[in-house]
Amino acid sequence: MSDHPPSGDRASDRSPSALAQRLLHPKAVAGLVIAVLAIWFSLANGAETRVHLWVFWVSARLWLVLLATFAAGFAAGRLLRRRTVRR
């Protein structure tokens, strides 16, 4: 019996080289760069700030306000995106 998995096994797709290829994809690199910049920007802007929400004011750390704004934009984008038809 051989120690090697069959050629059609999915374990061979999870090899380190396949993972490295996915991480080196331009979209993955861009996503990682954006994530690092967002984390750095949030940590650099840790001061407390006041936000006016139509009727009342809220005081919070700027990174928390940025995170809430990002989450609201992400949710709106997911709700408003077009559905693609798969053929």
Side-chain angles (χ1 to χ4, degrees), residues 58-87:
V58 176
S59 293
R61 296 274 180 201
L62 186 55
W63 68 266
L64 189 59
V65 173
L66 292 170
L67 179 65
T69 303
F70 172 76
F74 182 77
R78 295 286 295 195
L79 291 172
L80 296 176
R81 73 179 177 157
R82 291 185 179 178
R83 303 280 181 193
T84 58
V85 178
R86 293 185 184 185
R87 294 182 182 194

Side-chain angles (χ1 to χ4, degrees), residues 4-14:
H4 300 290
S7 61
D9 190 12
R10 289 186 176 248
S12 62
D13 293 341
R14 296 181 188 150

Side-chain angles (χ1 to χ4, degrees), residues 38-67:
I39 291 168
W40 173 77
F41 185 77
S42 296
L43 292 174
N45 291 294
E48 190 156 319
T49 187
R50 291 181 66 200
V51 180
H52 186 227
L53 299 172
W54 295 285
V55 179
F56 55 92
W57 288 87
V58 176
S59 293
R61 296 274 180 201
L62 186 55
W63 68 266
L64 189 59
V65 173
L66 292 170
L67 179 65

Side-chain angles (χ1 to χ4, degrees), residues 10-26 28-29 32:
R10 289 186 176 248
S12 62
D13 293 341
R14 296 181 188 150
S15 66
S17 62
L19 178 62
Q21 287 177 351
R22 276 187 265 152
L23 287 177
L24 291 177
H25 192 272
V29 172
L32 288 173

